Amino acid sequence: MAVYLDYNASAPIDERVLERMIEVYRSHYGNADSRTHIFGTDAKEIVSSARKSIAEILAVDSTDVFFTSGSTESNNMAILGLLDYALESGRNHFITTSIEHKSVLEAMKHLQEKGCVVDFVSPDASGRVKPEQILSLVTDKTLLVSMMQVNSETGVIQPIEEVGAALAGTKTYFHVDATQGFGKLNDSLRNTKYNMLSITAHKISGPQGIGAFIMRRDRTYRRPPVKPLMYGGQQERGYRPGTTPVALVAGFALAAQLSDKESAVHMESCRAIKRRFLEAVEGLNYTLNGDQEHCLPSTVNISFHGVDAEGIFLVVKEDYAFSNGSACNSGSHAPSYVLTAMGLGETRVNEAIRLSWNHDTKVDFSVLVNYIKSMTD
C-alpha cells in the first residue's frame, strides 16, 4: 500500500476519535433539538460540551462557536453573509489574498459580480503576504479583510497576528481561515485579534463533514452583521439551520482537544520527518517553494528540476500518495494558482509537488529519491 503523504488534503481519522463517534452513534442517537424527551436532552448536552471544548481551546466564549459542515461553509458565511450589509451601507470594499482557498476566492468573485470592490493581494516568491500590503489598501469603505493562517499548498504561515492587531478597534472586520493552522498553531490563534474564524475537523484527524465558524462580539457586544446563507430552522441560533450531527460534533471536539494537547510533540516529530526528507533529496537538483522560516514542519512544496510533476505521480503512485496542490484544485490540470501568484515560472510550477504528513507517518523517502534519479538520468 502507498504511503499517505497528503495530510493537508485530509488526515486519517484518529482511532480515539472514531471510537468516540461510534459510541455516540450507538448510544446517543437523539436529535439535539428535541426538547421533550431525554434522548434529545442527552444529545444536546454532548453538543454543548463540544461547543465549550472548542471555545476553551480558542479562548473565546462558547456562544461564539457555530457548527458548520466545514471551513468551506464557514468561509462562505464570513464573506457572503456580509453582502447585504455591504450593499446597504456602502462599505462594499473587501480585501483578501490571491493565494486563499477557492472557497474564499470564489466567494469574493461573487461579491464582485454583485457590485462590490475586491482587492486580491499577491505575495512575492516567499509565499508570504506582507502586512503592509494588506493594510495600505484599507479605507473607510473596507468592510472585511479575509486572510488564511497557513497556505495549504506551500505550508507558509501568514502574518495574521500583525494584521489582526492593526485592524483591532477599527470598523473593518477581520476573518481568518485557520483550516490548516488549527490544531497546530493554536497559540497564534489565541493571540490573534479577529472577528471571524473558520476551522474544520478533517485536517486534525477528525471526521470529514464538520467544522465551525467562530463569530466574536465586539466591545459593544455586537457580532459582525452576517446574515445566514440558508433557512429552515433555528439550529445554531438561526445562523446555520439543519439537524446537528451529534457524533460528528463529538468527534470534532475530541480531535480538537487531542491536537491541542499533543501539538508540541507532534510538531517536533514532523520536523524530524522533514529533516529526513531534506537529507534524502540532498544531491538532487531541486528548489523548495515558499519561505522555510515561516513554514509548517509537516509540509514541503518542492520542484525537482527537469522532472514534470505529473510524471512523478504516474511513476510513484504504487508507493506514495501526494499531490501538486490544494485538493479543491486537483480536478484541474491548470498550473497551481498559488505558485503562479508567487511569481514562479511556469516550468518550476509544473515541476512542483506537495508532500504533507503527520507526527506518526512512517515513510522511507529513498524509494522516491531513486524514482526521481531514474527520471533525470
Side-chain angles (χ1 to χ4, degrees), residues 82 85-87 89-96 108 111-112 115-121 133-146 171-173:
L82 291 175
Y85 182 82
L87 298 179
S89 67
R91 294 178 57 206
N92 63 345
H93 179 223
F94 293 74
I95 302 172
T96 191
M108 288 291 186
L111 292 184
Q112 287 181 311
C116 295
V117 178
V118 182
D119 281 315
F120 297 90
V121 178
Q133 290 179 273
I134 299 284
L135 300 173
S136 65
L137 296 173
V138 176
T139 71
D140 58 358
K141 287 192 174 182
T142 306
L143 182 59
L144 178 73
V145 171
S146 181
K171 292 183 178 180
T172 299
Y173 297 110

PDB file of all heavy atoms in Angstrom, residues 82 85-87 89-96 108 111-112 115-121 133-146 171-173:
ATOM      1  N   LEU A  82     -21.965  38.878   4.560  1.00  0.00           N
ATOM      2  CA  LEU A  82     -21.855  40.330   4.696  1.00  0.00           C
ATOM      3  C   LEU A  82     -22.351  41.083   3.467  1.00  0.00           C
ATOM      4  O   LEU A  82     -22.345  42.321   3.460  1.00  0.00           O
ATOM      5  CB  LEU A  82     -20.395  40.725   4.965  1.00  0.00           C
ATOM      6  CG  LEU A  82     -19.807  40.336   6.325  1.00  0.00           C
ATOM      7  CD1 LEU A  82     -18.326  40.700   6.365  1.00  0.00           C
ATOM      8  CD2 LEU A  82     -20.557  41.027   7.455  1.00  0.00           C
ATOM      9  N   TYR A  85     -25.264  43.704   3.940  1.00  0.00           N
ATOM     10  CA  TYR A  85     -24.811  44.868   4.704  1.00  0.00           C
ATOM     11  C   TYR A  85     -23.886  45.740   3.858  1.00  0.00           C
ATOM     12  O   TYR A  85     -23.949  46.980   3.923  1.00  0.00           O
ATOM     13  CB  TYR A  85     -24.102  44.427   5.973  1.00  0.00           C
ATOM     14  CG  TYR A  85     -23.643  45.572   6.837  1.00  0.00           C
ATOM     15  CD1 TYR A  85     -24.538  46.201   7.708  1.00  0.00           C
ATOM     16  CD2 TYR A  85     -22.338  46.044   6.772  1.00  0.00           C
ATOM     17  CE1 TYR A  85     -24.125  47.280   8.500  1.00  0.00           C
ATOM     18  CE2 TYR A  85     -21.915  47.110   7.554  1.00  0.00           C
ATOM     19  CZ  TYR A  85     -22.821  47.724   8.416  1.00  0.00           C
ATOM     20  OH  TYR A  85     -22.408  48.783   9.178  1.00  0.00           O
ATOM     21  N   ALA A  86     -23.027  45.117   3.060  1.00  0.00           N
ATOM     22  CA  ALA A  86     -22.105  45.876   2.213  1.00  0.00           C
ATOM     23  C   ALA A  86     -22.864  46.752   1.228  1.00  0.00           C
ATOM     24  O   ALA A  86     -22.534  47.929   1.025  1.00  0.00           O
ATOM     25  CB  ALA A  86     -21.181  44.914   1.466  1.00  0.00           C
ATOM     26  N   LEU A  87     -23.888  46.193   0.613  1.00  0.00           N
ATOM     27  CA  LEU A  87     -24.666  46.940  -0.373  1.00  0.00           C
ATOM     28  C   LEU A  87     -25.525  48.018   0.286  1.00  0.00           C
ATOM     29  O   LEU A  87     -25.692  49.116  -0.265  1.00  0.00           O
ATOM     30  CB  LEU A  87     -25.536  45.981  -1.180  1.00  0.00           C
ATOM     31  CG  LEU A  87     -24.770  44.921  -2.003  1.00  0.00           C
ATOM     32  CD1 LEU A  87     -25.747  44.008  -2.731  1.00  0.00           C
ATOM     33  CD2 LEU A  87     -23.807  45.585  -2.984  1.00  0.00           C
ATOM     34  N   SER A  89     -24.925  49.543   3.265  1.00  0.00           N
ATOM     35  CA  SER A  89     -24.139  50.557   3.974  1.00  0.00           C
ATOM     36  C   SER A  89     -23.219  51.356   3.073  1.00  0.00           C
ATOM     37  O   SER A  89     -22.754  52.442   3.449  1.00  0.00           O
ATOM     38  CB  SER A  89     -23.304  49.884   5.061  1.00  0.00           C
ATOM     39  OG  SER A  89     -22.308  49.055   4.471  1.00  0.00           O
ATOM     40  N   GLY A  90     -22.928  50.821   1.895  1.00  0.00           N
ATOM     41  CA  GLY A  90     -21.963  51.465   1.016  1.00  0.00           C
ATOM     42  C   GLY A  90     -20.526  51.102   1.339  1.00  0.00           C
ATOM     43  O   GLY A  90     -19.607  51.494   0.622  1.00  0.00           O
ATOM     44  N   ARG A  91     -20.338  50.348   2.390  1.00  0.00           N
ATOM     45  CA  ARG A  91     -18.992  49.860   2.739  1.00  0.00           C
ATOM     46  C   ARG A  91     -18.782  48.532   2.004  1.00  0.00           C
ATOM     47  O   ARG A  91     -18.849  47.456   2.574  1.00  0.00           O
ATOM     48  CB  ARG A  91     -18.855  49.694   4.248  1.00  0.00           C
ATOM     49  CG  ARG A  91     -18.913  51.012   5.019  1.00  0.00           C
ATOM     50  CD  ARG A  91     -18.809  50.776   6.511  1.00  0.00           C
ATOM     51  NE  ARG A  91     -17.582  50.050   6.850  1.00  0.00           N
ATOM     52  CZ  ARG A  91     -17.443  49.279   7.925  1.00  0.00           C
ATOM     53  NH1 ARG A  91     -18.475  49.107   8.761  1.00  0.00           N
ATOM     54  NH2 ARG A  91     -16.300  48.674   8.161  1.00  0.00           N
ATOM     55  N   ASN A  92     -18.530  48.647   0.728  1.00  0.00           N
ATOM     56  CA  ASN A  92     -18.528  47.475  -0.143  1.00  0.00           C
ATOM     57  C   ASN A  92     -17.136  47.092  -0.633  1.00  0.00           C
ATOM     58  O   ASN A  92     -16.979  46.469  -1.680  1.00  0.00           O
ATOM     59  CB  ASN A  92     -19.438  47.729  -1.341  1.00  0.00           C
ATOM     60  CG  ASN A  92     -18.947  48.885  -2.217  1.00  0.00           C
ATOM     61  OD1 ASN A  92     -18.106  49.673  -1.797  1.00  0.00           O
ATOM     62  ND2 ASN A  92     -19.475  48.977  -3.431  1.00  0.00           N
ATOM     63  N   HIS A  93     -16.106  47.452   0.142  1.00  0.00           N
ATOM     64  CA  HIS A  93     -14.730  47.122  -0.224  1.00  0.00           C
ATOM     65  C   HIS A  93     -14.237  45.942   0.614  1.00  0.00           C
ATOM     66  O   HIS A  93     -14.372  45.945   1.845  1.00  0.00           O
ATOM     67  CB  HIS A  93     -13.817  48.330  -0.001  1.00  0.00           C
ATOM     68  CG  HIS A  93     -12.383  48.067  -0.338  1.00  0.00           C
ATOM     69  ND1 HIS A  93     -11.326  48.493   0.446  1.00  0.00           N
ATOM     70  CD2 HIS A  93     -11.814  47.415  -1.386  1.00  0.00           C
ATOM     71  CE1 HIS A  93     -10.181  48.121  -0.101  1.00  0.00           C
ATOM     72  NE2 HIS A  93     -10.449  47.462  -1.217  1.00  0.00           N
ATOM     73  N   PHE A  94     -13.693  44.947  -0.061  1.00  0.00           N
ATOM     74  CA  PHE A  94     -13.180  43.740   0.585  1.00  0.00           C
ATOM     75  C   PHE A  94     -11.726  43.538   0.162  1.00  0.00           C
ATOM     76  O   PHE A  94     -11.348  43.861  -0.964  1.00  0.00           O
ATOM     77  CB  PHE A  94     -13.999  42.510   0.193  1.00  0.00           C
ATOM     78  CG  PHE A  94     -15.416  42.521   0.700  1.00  0.00           C
ATOM     79  CD1 PHE A  94     -16.375  43.351   0.130  1.00  0.00           C
ATOM     80  CD2 PHE A  94     -15.802  41.691   1.743  1.00  0.00           C
ATOM     81  CE1 PHE A  94     -17.682  43.354   0.600  1.00  0.00           C
ATOM     82  CE2 PHE A  94     -17.096  41.692   2.214  1.00  0.00           C
ATOM     83  CZ  PHE A  94     -18.043  42.524   1.640  1.00  0.00           C
ATOM     84  N   ILE A  95     -10.933  42.975   1.071  1.00  0.00           N
ATOM     85  CA  ILE A  95      -9.525  42.690   0.782  1.00  0.00           C
ATOM     86  C   ILE A  95      -9.236  41.235   1.127  1.00  0.00           C
ATOM     87  O   ILE A  95      -9.629  40.739   2.191  1.00  0.00           O
ATOM     88  CB  ILE A  95      -8.582  43.593   1.597  1.00  0.00           C
ATOM     89  CG1 ILE A  95      -8.864  45.075   1.312  1.00  0.00           C
ATOM     90  CG2 ILE A  95      -7.117  43.266   1.280  1.00  0.00           C
ATOM     91  CD1 ILE A  95      -8.083  46.017   2.231  1.00  0.00           C
ATOM     92  N   THR A  96      -8.538  40.556   0.238  1.00  0.00           N
ATOM     93  CA  THR A  96      -8.087  39.195   0.509  1.00  0.00           C
ATOM     94  C   THR A  96      -6.775  38.975  -0.213  1.00  0.00           C
ATOM     95  O   THR A  96      -6.200  39.914  -0.779  1.00  0.00           O
ATOM     96  CB  THR A  96      -9.155  38.166   0.081  1.00  0.00           C
ATOM     97  OG1 THR A  96      -8.796  36.875   0.576  1.00  0.00           O
ATOM     98  CG2 THR A  96      -9.288  38.100  -1.438  1.00  0.00           C
ATOM     99  N   MET A 108     -15.413  35.757  -3.052  1.00  0.00           N
ATOM    100  CA  MET A 108     -15.043  37.141  -3.326  1.00  0.00           C
ATOM    101  C   MET A 108     -15.399  37.535  -4.759  1.00  0.00           C
ATOM    102  O   MET A 108     -15.863  38.656  -5.022  1.00  0.00           O
ATOM    103  CB  MET A 108     -13.544  37.339  -3.090  1.00  0.00           C
ATOM    104  CG  MET A 108     -13.141  37.309  -1.621  1.00  0.00           C
ATOM    105  SD  MET A 108     -13.752  38.753  -0.715  1.00  0.00           S
ATOM    106  CE  MET A 108     -12.976  38.493   0.888  1.00  0.00           C
ATOM    107  N   LEU A 111     -18.941  38.418  -4.895  1.00  0.00           N
ATOM    108  CA  LEU A 111     -19.172  39.770  -4.399  1.00  0.00           C
ATOM    109  C   LEU A 111     -18.925  40.798  -5.499  1.00  0.00           C
ATOM    110  O   LEU A 111     -19.664  41.787  -5.619  1.00  0.00           O
ATOM    111  CB  LEU A 111     -18.253  40.067  -3.214  1.00  0.00           C
ATOM    112  CG  LEU A 111     -18.494  39.304  -1.906  1.00  0.00           C
ATOM    113  CD1 LEU A 111     -17.536  39.819  -0.837  1.00  0.00           C
ATOM    114  CD2 LEU A 111     -19.924  39.437  -1.429  1.00  0.00           C
ATOM    115  N   GLN A 112     -17.878  40.583  -6.294  1.00  0.00           N
ATOM    116  CA  GLN A 112     -17.587  41.499  -7.398  1.00  0.00           C
ATOM    117  C   GLN A 112     -18.750  41.545  -8.384  1.00  0.00           C
ATOM    118  O   GLN A 112     -19.126  42.615  -8.875  1.00  0.00           O
ATOM    119  CB  GLN A 112     -16.317  41.069  -8.124  1.00  0.00           C
ATOM    120  CG  GLN A 112     -15.031  41.336  -7.352  1.00  0.00           C
ATOM    121  CD  GLN A 112     -13.809  40.904  -8.125  1.00  0.00           C
ATOM    122  OE1 GLN A 112     -13.743  39.775  -8.644  1.00  0.00           O
ATOM    123  NE2 GLN A 112     -12.818  41.781  -8.217  1.00  0.00           N
ATOM    124  N   GLY A 115     -21.420  43.868  -7.377  1.00  0.00           N
ATOM    125  CA  GLY A 115     -21.125  45.286  -7.295  1.00  0.00           C
ATOM    126  C   GLY A 115     -20.129  45.690  -6.245  1.00  0.00           C
ATOM    127  O   GLY A 115     -19.853  46.892  -6.071  1.00  0.00           O
ATOM    128  N   CYS A 116     -19.557  44.743  -5.524  1.00  0.00           N
ATOM    129  CA  CYS A 116     -18.557  45.068  -4.509  1.00  0.00           C
ATOM    130  C   CYS A 116     -17.169  45.208  -5.146  1.00  0.00           C
ATOM    131  O   CYS A 116     -16.918  44.716  -6.243  1.00  0.00           O
ATOM    132  CB  CYS A 116     -18.522  43.990  -3.425  1.00  0.00           C
ATOM    133  SG  CYS A 116     -20.040  43.877  -2.451  1.00  0.00           S
ATOM    134  N   VAL A 117     -16.284  45.864  -4.434  1.00  0.00           N
ATOM    135  CA  VAL A 117     -14.909  46.055  -4.886  1.00  0.00           C
ATOM    136  C   VAL A 117     -14.010  45.140  -4.060  1.00  0.00           C
ATOM    137  O   VAL A 117     -14.057  45.172  -2.825  1.00  0.00           O
ATOM    138  CB  VAL A 117     -14.469  47.522  -4.712  1.00  0.00           C
ATOM    139  CG1 VAL A 117     -13.017  47.685  -5.143  1.00  0.00           C
ATOM    140  CG2 VAL A 117     -15.379  48.440  -5.512  1.00  0.00           C
ATOM    141  N   VAL A 118     -13.213  44.338  -4.736  1.00  0.00           N
ATOM    142  CA  VAL A 118     -12.342  43.389  -4.031  1.00  0.00           C
ATOM    143  C   VAL A 118     -10.910  43.565  -4.500  1.00  0.00           C
ATOM    144  O   VAL A 118     -10.634  43.586  -5.698  1.00  0.00           O
ATOM    145  CB  VAL A 118     -12.783  41.930  -4.272  1.00  0.00           C
ATOM    146  CG1 VAL A 118     -11.880  40.975  -3.476  1.00  0.00           C
ATOM    147  CG2 VAL A 118     -14.240  41.725  -3.900  1.00  0.00           C
ATOM    148  N   ASP A 119      -9.994  43.687  -3.558  1.00  0.00           N
ATOM    149  CA  ASP A 119      -8.563  43.699  -3.848  1.00  0.00           C
ATOM    150  C   ASP A 119      -7.977  42.348  -3.497  1.00  0.00           C
ATOM    151  O   ASP A 119      -8.176  41.838  -2.386  1.00  0.00           O
ATOM    152  CB  ASP A 119      -7.850  44.783  -3.035  1.00  0.00           C
ATOM    153  CG  ASP A 119      -8.019  46.167  -3.632  1.00  0.00           C
ATOM    154  OD1 ASP A 119      -7.873  46.292  -4.869  1.00  0.00           O
ATOM    155  OD2 ASP A 119      -8.301  47.114  -2.883  1.00  0.00           O
ATOM    156  N   PHE A 120      -7.237  41.758  -4.458  1.00  0.00           N
ATOM    157  CA  PHE A 120      -6.559  40.485  -4.246  1.00  0.00           C
ATOM    158  C   PHE A 120      -5.058  40.766  -4.152  1.00  0.00           C
ATOM    159  O   PHE A 120      -4.444  41.185  -5.136  1.00  0.00           O
ATOM    160  CB  PHE A 120      -6.847  39.517  -5.397  1.00  0.00           C
ATOM    161  CG  PHE A 120      -8.292  39.137  -5.525  1.00  0.00           C
ATOM    162  CD1 PHE A 120      -9.152  39.892  -6.317  1.00  0.00           C
ATOM    163  CD2 PHE A 120      -8.802  38.025  -4.872  1.00  0.00           C
ATOM    164  CE1 PHE A 120     -10.491  39.548  -6.456  1.00  0.00           C
ATOM    165  CE2 PHE A 120     -10.133  37.665  -5.000  1.00  0.00           C
ATOM    166  CZ  PHE A 120     -10.981  38.426  -5.789  1.00  0.00           C
ATOM    167  N   VAL A 121      -4.473  40.525  -2.998  1.00  0.00           N
ATOM    168  CA  VAL A 121      -3.062  40.843  -2.765  1.00  0.00           C
ATOM    169  C   VAL A 121      -2.208  39.597  -2.983  1.00  0.00           C
ATOM    170  O   VAL A 121      -2.500  38.520  -2.433  1.00  0.00           O
ATOM    171  CB  VAL A 121      -2.866  41.363  -1.327  1.00  0.00           C
ATOM    172  CG1 VAL A 121      -1.386  41.640  -1.064  1.00  0.00           C
ATOM    173  CG2 VAL A 121      -3.696  42.628  -1.106  1.00  0.00           C
ATOM    174  N   GLN A 133       1.124  45.261   2.792  1.00  0.00           N
ATOM    175  CA  GLN A 133       0.410  45.126   1.529  1.00  0.00           C
ATOM    176  C   GLN A 133      -1.102  45.142   1.756  1.00  0.00           C
ATOM    177  O   GLN A 133      -1.849  45.708   0.959  1.00  0.00           O
ATOM    178  CB  GLN A 133       0.793  43.808   0.839  1.00  0.00           C
ATOM    179  CG  GLN A 133       2.195  43.731   0.297  1.00  0.00           C
ATOM    180  CD  GLN A 133       2.458  42.371  -0.339  1.00  0.00           C
ATOM    181  OE1 GLN A 133       2.854  41.417   0.335  1.00  0.00           O
ATOM    182  NE2 GLN A 133       2.210  42.274  -1.627  1.00  0.00           N
ATOM    183  N   ILE A 134      -1.516  44.502   2.822  1.00  0.00           N
ATOM    184  CA  ILE A 134      -2.935  44.464   3.178  1.00  0.00           C
ATOM    185  C   ILE A 134      -3.383  45.810   3.744  1.00  0.00           C
ATOM    186  O   ILE A 134      -4.357  46.412   3.276  1.00  0.00           O
ATOM    187  CB  ILE A 134      -3.204  43.362   4.223  1.00  0.00           C
ATOM    188  CG1 ILE A 134      -2.838  41.975   3.675  1.00  0.00           C
ATOM    189  CG2 ILE A 134      -4.656  43.410   4.702  1.00  0.00           C
ATOM    190  CD1 ILE A 134      -3.803  41.402   2.702  1.00  0.00           C
ATOM    191  N   LEU A 135      -2.665  46.298   4.723  1.00  0.00           N
ATOM    192  CA  LEU A 135      -3.103  47.464   5.488  1.00  0.00           C
ATOM    193  C   LEU A 135      -3.099  48.737   4.661  1.00  0.00           C
ATOM    194  O   LEU A 135      -3.892  49.651   4.912  1.00  0.00           O
ATOM    195  CB  LEU A 135      -2.221  47.617   6.718  1.00  0.00           C
ATOM    196  CG  LEU A 135      -2.248  46.425   7.684  1.00  0.00           C
ATOM    197  CD1 LEU A 135      -1.223  46.597   8.792  1.00  0.00           C
ATOM    198  CD2 LEU A 135      -3.646  46.244   8.280  1.00  0.00           C
ATOM    199  N   SER A 136      -2.224  48.822   3.667  1.00  0.00           N
ATOM    200  CA  SER A 136      -2.163  50.022   2.841  1.00  0.00           C
ATOM    201  C   SER A 136      -3.409  50.197   1.974  1.00  0.00           C
ATOM    202  O   SER A 136      -3.678  51.294   1.472  1.00  0.00           O
ATOM    203  CB  SER A 136      -0.925  49.984   1.942  1.00  0.00           C
ATOM    204  OG  SER A 136      -1.020  48.918   1.000  1.00  0.00           O
ATOM    205  N   LEU A 137      -4.181  49.122   1.823  1.00  0.00           N
ATOM    206  CA  LEU A 137      -5.380  49.174   0.978  1.00  0.00           C
ATOM    207  C   LEU A 137      -6.646  49.480   1.773  1.00  0.00           C
ATOM    208  O   LEU A 137      -7.704  49.723   1.196  1.00  0.00           O
ATOM    209  CB  LEU A 137      -5.560  47.835   0.256  1.00  0.00           C
ATOM    210  CG  LEU A 137      -4.446  47.453  -0.739  1.00  0.00           C
ATOM    211  CD1 LEU A 137      -4.666  46.030  -1.243  1.00  0.00           C
ATOM    212  CD2 LEU A 137      -4.411  48.424  -1.908  1.00  0.00           C
ATOM    213  N   VAL A 138      -6.560  49.471   3.093  1.00  0.00           N
ATOM    214  CA  VAL A 138      -7.728  49.674   3.939  1.00  0.00           C
ATOM    215  C   VAL A 138      -8.178  51.136   3.885  1.00  0.00           C
ATOM    216  O   VAL A 138      -7.374  52.060   4.051  1.00  0.00           O
ATOM    217  CB  VAL A 138      -7.445  49.267   5.392  1.00  0.00           C
ATOM    218  CG1 VAL A 138      -8.641  49.573   6.289  1.00  0.00           C
ATOM    219  CG2 VAL A 138      -7.102  47.778   5.463  1.00  0.00           C
ATOM    220  N   THR A 139      -9.480  51.337   3.634  1.00  0.00           N
ATOM    221  CA  THR A 139     -10.078  52.668   3.643  1.00  0.00           C
ATOM    222  C   THR A 139     -11.302  52.649   4.552  1.00  0.00           C
ATOM    223  O   THR A 139     -11.636  51.609   5.137  1.00  0.00           O
ATOM    224  CB  THR A 139     -10.502  53.096   2.221  1.00  0.00           C
ATOM    225  OG1 THR A 139     -11.653  52.325   1.812  1.00  0.00           O
ATOM    226  CG2 THR A 139      -9.377  52.881   1.221  1.00  0.00           C
ATOM    227  N   ASP A 140     -11.988  53.778   4.620  1.00  0.00           N
ATOM    228  CA  ASP A 140     -13.187  53.818   5.454  1.00  0.00           C
ATOM    229  C   ASP A 140     -14.332  53.023   4.852  1.00  0.00           C
ATOM    230  O   ASP A 140     -15.366  52.832   5.489  1.00  0.00           O
ATOM    231  CB  ASP A 140     -13.614  55.264   5.722  1.00  0.00           C
ATOM    232  CG  ASP A 140     -13.878  56.044   4.438  1.00  0.00           C
ATOM    233  OD1 ASP A 140     -13.698  55.480   3.328  1.00  0.00           O
ATOM    234  OD2 ASP A 140     -14.256  57.225   4.532  1.00  0.00           O
ATOM    235  N   LYS A 141     -14.152  52.553   3.613  1.00  0.00           N
ATOM    236  CA  LYS A 141     -15.174  51.731   2.965  1.00  0.00           C
ATOM    237  C   LYS A 141     -14.847  50.237   3.032  1.00  0.00           C
ATOM    238  O   LYS A 141     -15.617  49.409   2.535  1.00  0.00           O
ATOM    239  CB  LYS A 141     -15.349  52.151   1.508  1.00  0.00           C
ATOM    240  CG  LYS A 141     -16.065  53.478   1.342  1.00  0.00           C
ATOM    241  CD  LYS A 141     -16.477  53.697  -0.105  1.00  0.00           C
ATOM    242  CE  LYS A 141     -17.324  54.954  -0.250  1.00  0.00           C
ATOM    243  NZ  LYS A 141     -17.774  55.158  -1.655  1.00  0.00           N
ATOM    244  N   THR A 142     -13.720  49.887   3.651  1.00  0.00           N
ATOM    245  CA  THR A 142     -13.318  48.485   3.736  1.00  0.00           C
ATOM    246  C   THR A 142     -14.120  47.783   4.820  1.00  0.00           C
ATOM    247  O   THR A 142     -13.976  48.096   6.002  1.00  0.00           O
ATOM    248  CB  THR A 142     -11.813  48.357   4.030  1.00  0.00           C
ATOM    249  OG1 THR A 142     -11.069  49.100   3.058  1.00  0.00           O
ATOM    250  CG2 THR A 142     -11.396  46.894   3.979  1.00  0.00           C
ATOM    251  N   LEU A 143     -14.930  46.845   4.414  1.00  0.00           N
ATOM    252  CA  LEU A 143     -15.779  46.120   5.360  1.00  0.00           C
ATOM    253  C   LEU A 143     -15.073  44.909   5.941  1.00  0.00           C
ATOM    254  O   LEU A 143     -15.225  44.600   7.129  1.00  0.00           O
ATOM    255  CB  LEU A 143     -17.075  45.680   4.663  1.00  0.00           C
ATOM    256  CG  LEU A 143     -18.104  44.948   5.522  1.00  0.00           C
ATOM    257  CD1 LEU A 143     -18.551  45.808   6.698  1.00  0.00           C
ATOM    258  CD2 LEU A 143     -19.311  44.531   4.670  1.00  0.00           C
ATOM    259  N   LEU A 144     -14.284  44.223   5.116  1.00  0.00           N
ATOM    260  CA  LEU A 144     -13.694  42.948   5.557  1.00  0.00           C
ATOM    261  C   LEU A 144     -12.331  42.714   4.947  1.00  0.00           C
ATOM    262  O   LEU A 144     -12.110  42.974   3.765  1.00  0.00           O
ATOM    263  CB  LEU A 144     -14.619  41.782   5.161  1.00  0.00           C
ATOM    264  CG  LEU A 144     -14.115  40.365   5.505  1.00  0.00           C
ATOM    265  CD1 LEU A 144     -14.217  40.110   7.003  1.00  0.00           C
ATOM    266  CD2 LEU A 144     -14.898  39.305   4.738  1.00  0.00           C
ATOM    267  N   VAL A 145     -11.434  42.205   5.777  1.00  0.00           N
ATOM    268  CA  VAL A 145     -10.178  41.617   5.320  1.00  0.00           C
ATOM    269  C   VAL A 145     -10.249  40.135   5.650  1.00  0.00           C
ATOM    270  O   VAL A 145     -10.533  39.762   6.790  1.00  0.00           O
ATOM    271  CB  VAL A 145      -8.960  42.244   6.016  1.00  0.00           C
ATOM    272  CG1 VAL A 145      -7.689  41.458   5.675  1.00  0.00           C
ATOM    273  CG2 VAL A 145      -8.800  43.703   5.620  1.00  0.00           C
ATOM    274  N   SER A 146     -10.037  39.276   4.650  1.00  0.00           N
ATOM    275  CA  SER A 146     -10.073  37.828   4.841  1.00  0.00           C
ATOM    276  C   SER A 146      -8.721  37.248   4.459  1.00  0.00           C
ATOM    277  O   SER A 146      -8.217  37.485   3.365  1.00  0.00           O
ATOM    278  CB  SER A 146     -11.173  37.196   3.987  1.00  0.00           C
ATOM    279  OG  SER A 146     -11.219  35.791   4.183  1.00  0.00           O
ATOM    280  N   LYS A 171     -13.295  49.811  12.153  1.00  0.00           N
ATOM    281  CA  LYS A 171     -14.586  49.362  11.649  1.00  0.00           C
ATOM    282  C   LYS A 171     -14.462  48.210  10.657  1.00  0.00           C
ATOM    283  O   LYS A 171     -15.475  47.657  10.220  1.00  0.00           O
ATOM    284  CB  LYS A 171     -15.329  50.531  10.995  1.00  0.00           C
ATOM    285  CG  LYS A 171     -15.770  51.620  11.972  1.00  0.00           C
ATOM    286  CD  LYS A 171     -16.568  52.690  11.252  1.00  0.00           C
ATOM    287  CE  LYS A 171     -17.053  53.754  12.233  1.00  0.00           C
ATOM    288  NZ  LYS A 171     -17.853  54.816  11.544  1.00  0.00           N
ATOM    289  N   THR A 172     -13.237  47.868  10.307  1.00  0.00           N
ATOM    290  CA  THR A 172     -13.003  46.786   9.347  1.00  0.00           C
ATOM    291  C   THR A 172     -12.951  45.449  10.070  1.00  0.00           C
ATOM    292  O   THR A 172     -12.166  45.268  11.007  1.00  0.00           O
ATOM    293  CB  THR A 172     -11.684  47.006   8.581  1.00  0.00           C
ATOM    294  OG1 THR A 172     -11.758  48.238   7.845  1.00  0.00           O
ATOM    295  CG2 THR A 172     -11.418  45.867   7.609  1.00  0.00           C
ATOM    296  N   TYR A 173     -13.783  44.522   9.633  1.00  0.00           N
ATOM    297  CA  TYR A 173     -13.799  43.191  10.232  1.00  0.00           C
ATOM    298  C   TYR A 173     -12.646  42.355   9.678  1.00  0.00           C
ATOM    299  O   TYR A 173     -12.227  42.523   8.527  1.00  0.00           O
ATOM    300  CB  TYR A 173     -15.129  42.488   9.948  1.00  0.00           C
ATOM    301  CG  TYR A 173     -16.317  43.196  10.550  1.00  0.00           C
ATOM    302  CD1 TYR A 173     -17.250  43.856   9.748  1.00  0.00           C
ATOM    303  CD2 TYR A 173     -16.519  43.208  11.929  1.00  0.00           C
ATOM    304  CE1 TYR A 173     -18.344  44.509  10.295  1.00  0.00           C
ATOM    305  CE2 TYR A 173     -17.597  43.868  12.501  1.00  0.00           C
ATOM    306  CZ  TYR A 173     -18.509  44.515  11.672  1.00  0.00           C
ATOM    307  OH  TYR A 173     -19.570  45.169  12.232  1.00  0.00           O
TER     308      TYR A 173
END
